[in-house]
């Protein structure tokens, strides 16, 4: 494994690495509005009394907390994409015109929205439409997505271009063990990466959930949860998500070498971390721990890098293998390999429905229930 310093990278440079959590956002959105946050109150009022300015600032903080950083980043990028297209076409963005949005959708689907001639996938177009609805609503000018210029075009796009979702390869237990062997246990970076992989797999955590953890409760402003380690049983992860708080129990493993609790305790002890972000940048050839929280894209890069180094899916070319793995591979791995009642897997992954959990299961017996025979045929 490379011993270069962890370095922040922009979203634009990360390519597919930035997609898994966005896919999670889109897939778990409601069928109608795809989870767009409700219109926010207009708080930028020039006539607002001076004594309410501080309260307005607090309201802005709550507004920002209403959606995840990944969702906000996606909505901002989509709004920029739409505004750039309008500018090139010489079209006004306001007031929102369903016919203009319908033309934009058609441009995205046909690959003419930008100069690269690359069509957007249906899921990307649906996310862009959600982004436009949300952004227009924030400006007090709601977009009617049921208008025929939008709804009919979108239905045609789905019928023409929709295909089964491309799923990331699941990291199975044997794959994970091989990946762990590629990490240098003699460096803090190697110990940190072991803890992240094991915690992410055993907890079925999203990459943003992994790096958002603190050592304890209410220790940082940007923390999204914390851990509690119990001497004999395991550890409890408390997470703050878009639907509220949830708890994830992670039991101890059958061996110290593959136990997520032992890996986390080792990292915390040797990195001398007792407060604040759980997973941080490591510099100095893997021996110096910083104070800054890791970017969630580092989880995707770690999974990809370790999977390639371990030779996972060695039957494929390196280029094909590089596209197969990302942060979601850990969640899919747990869902695919945990031989327990499905409802427990659903709870661990924080899914609202069993159907969503089944999308993560790569090797379940799809024909366990045979309705043909059950019906008497």
């Amino acid at each position: 494994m490379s011993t270069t310093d962890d370095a922040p990278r922009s979203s634009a440079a990360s390519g597919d690495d930035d997609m898994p959590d966005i896919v999670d956002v889109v897939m778990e959105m409601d069928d109608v509005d795809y989870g767009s946050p409700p219109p926010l109150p207009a708080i930028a009022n020039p006539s607002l009394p001076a004594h309410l300015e501080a309260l307005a600032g607090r309201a802005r903080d709550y507004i920002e907390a209403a959606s995840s950083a990944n969702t906000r980043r996606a909505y901002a990028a989509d709004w920029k994409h739409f505004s750039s297209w309008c500018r090139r076409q010489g079209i006004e963005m306001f007031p929102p015109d369903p016919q203009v949005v319908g033309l934009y959708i058609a441009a995205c689907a046909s690959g003419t929205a930008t100069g690269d001639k690359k069509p957007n996938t249906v899921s990307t177009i649906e996310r862009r439409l959600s982004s436009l609805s949300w952004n227009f609503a924030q400006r007090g000018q709601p977009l009617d997505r049921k208008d025929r210029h939008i709804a009919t075009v979108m239905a045609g796009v789905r019928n023409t271009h929709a295909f089964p979702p491309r799923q990331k390869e699941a990291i199975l237990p044997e794959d994970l063990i091989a990946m762990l062997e590629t990490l240098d246990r003699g460096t803090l970076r190697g110990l940190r990466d072991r803890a992240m992989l094991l915690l992410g797999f055993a907890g079925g955590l999203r990459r943003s959930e992994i790096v958002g953890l603190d050592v304890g409760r209410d220790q940082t402003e940007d923390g999204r949860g914390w851990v509690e380690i119990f001497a004999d049983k395991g550890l409890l992860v408390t997470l703050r998500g878009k639907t509220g708080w949830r708890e994830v129990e992670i039991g101890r493993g059958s061996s110290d070498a593959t136990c997520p609790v032992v890996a986390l305790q080792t990292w915390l002890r040797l990195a001398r971390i007792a407060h604040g972000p759980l997973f941080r940048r490591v510099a100095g050839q893997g021996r110096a721990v910083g104070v800054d929280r890791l970017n969630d894209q580092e989880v995707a890069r770690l999974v990809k890098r370790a999977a390639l180094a371990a030779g996972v899916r060695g039957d494929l070319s390196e280029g094909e293998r590089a596209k197969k793995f990302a942060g979601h591979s850990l969640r899919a791995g747990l869902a695919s390999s945990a031989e327990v009642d499905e409802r427990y897997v659903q709870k661990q992954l924080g899914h609202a429905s069993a159907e969503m959990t089944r999308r993560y299961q790569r090797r379940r017996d799809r024909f366990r229930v045979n309705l043909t025979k059950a019906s008497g045929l």
Side-chain angles (χ1 to χ4, degrees):
M1 176 181 167
S2 171
T3 57
T4 56
D5 293 352
D6 297 316
R9 305 181 193 180
S10 66
S11 301
S14 64
D16 287 343
D17 288 345
D18 196 38
M19 288 307 296
D21 280 347
I22 299 301
V23 171
D24 221 22
V25 169
V26 173
M27 290 175 69
E28 293 188 358
M29 287 175 177
D30 296 333
D31 290 338
V32 177
D33 65 6
Y34 295 90
S36 301
L40 303 179
I43 58 176
N45 187 342
S47 62
L48 198 66
H51 69 280
L52 291 179
E53 286 297 333
L55 192 59
R58 179 61 62 87
R60 279 188 288 269
D61 292 339
Y62 287 139
I63 288 170
E64 184 172 336
S67 56
S68 72
N70 279 326
T71 302
R72 293 194 301 273
R73 185 163 60 238
Y75 280 9
D78 291 336
W79 183 251
K80 181 179 180 181
H81 188 270
F82 174 66
S83 62
S84 297
W85 179 81
C86 287
R87 186 168 57 252
R88 289 193 300 273
Q89 308 306 318
I91 300 175
E92 293 293 332
M93 293 176 61
F94 297 98
D97 185 341
Q99 187 171 10
V100 169
V101 174
L103 293 174
Y104 170 68
I105 292 172
C108 290
S110 60
T112 61
T114 58
D116 59 11
K117 306 297 183 182
K118 183 179 180 181
N120 289 151
T121 63
V122 174
S123 62
T124 296
I125 295 172
E126 289 175 332
R127 193 202 64 222
R128 292 198 193 283
L129 185 54
S130 294
S131 300
L132 297 188
S133 297
W134 188 86
N135 276 284
F136 275 124
Q138 308 323 302
R139 290 156 177 81
Q141 301 190 45
L143 173 68
D144 182 8
R145 289 178 53 170
K146 295 182 180 180
D147 185 280
R148 62 185 180 85
H149 292 98
I150 296 177
T152 306
V153 172
M154 196 65 232
V157 168
R158 292 191 186 100
N159 289 338
T160 305
H161 300 292
F163 55 83
R166 295 188 182 96
Q167 296 180 314
K168 293 299 181 181
E169 190 82 8
I171 295 295
L172 301 176
E174 56 269 25
D175 301 325
L176 182 61
I177 292 173
M179 290 164 62
L180 295 174
E181 291 302 315
T182 69
L183 304 176
D184 186 356
R185 300 190 191 191
T187 66
L188 288 172
R189 181 180 292 110
L191 294 176
R192 180 202 66 189
D193 290 350
R194 287 178 61 84
M196 286 200 299
L197 288 177
L198 285 167
L199 192 69
F201 180 92
L205 304 180
R206 299 174 177 88
R207 64 184 198 183
S208 57
E209 293 172 338
I210 296 173
V211 300
L213 292 172
D214 289 338
V215 177
R217 181 172 186 166
D218 299 330
Q219 293 185 343
T220 65
E221 291 186 0
D222 63 338
R224 307 296 295 180
W226 64 90
V227 298
E228 295 175 78
I229 299 177
F230 298 91
D232 300 325
K233 299 295 185 179
L235 65 89
L236 179 66
V237 179
T238 303
L239 296 167
R240 179 175 61 195
K242 59 180 178 292
T243 58
W245 291 94
R246 69 185 181 96
E247 294 182 338
V248 176
E249 297 90 4
I250 299 178
R252 290 186 177 271
S254 56
S255 166
D256 284 355
T258 57
C259 177
V261 184
V262 171
L264 182 60
Q265 288 176 313
T266 302
W267 156 247
L268 291 176
R269 183 177 70 255
L270 296 182
R272 298 182 180 179
I273 297 175
H275 187 277
L278 202 60
F279 296 115
R280 310 176 181 190
R281 299 199 174 280
V282 178
Q285 299 300 308
R287 289 179 169 82
V289 180
V291 297
D292 295 330
R293 187 186 305 279
L294 272 185
N295 186 294
D296 63 353
Q297 294 170 22
E298 291 296 336
V299 178
R301 296 187 187 108
L302 168 61
V303 172
K304 187 188 297 288
R305 187 167 60 241
L308 294 177
V312 182
R313 288 304 307 269
D315 57 308
L316 302 176
S317 69
E318 186 168 343
E320 290 176 314
R321 291 167 64 210
K323 297 177 181 178
K324 287 284 187 179
F325 302 101
H328 257 41
S329 297
L330 298 176
R331 282 166 64 78
L334 178 71
S336 301
S337 57
E339 297 181 357
V340 296
D341 191 301
E342 191 176 74
R343 57 183 171 173
Y344 295 114
V345 180
Q346 178 183 339
K347 178 180 181 295
Q348 191 83 341
L349 269 61
H351 288 151
S353 67
E355 179 59 32
M356 177 60 68
T357 301
R358 295 187 189 110
R359 297 185 189 182
Y360 284 74
Q361 295 172 327
R362 306 292 192 263
R363 60 179 189 183
R364 65 185 175 90
D365 183 1
R366 296 176 179 273
F367 299 97
R368 183 174 59 84
V369 177
N370 189 330
L371 293 181
T372 306
K373 290 183 178 180
S375 66
L377 299 180

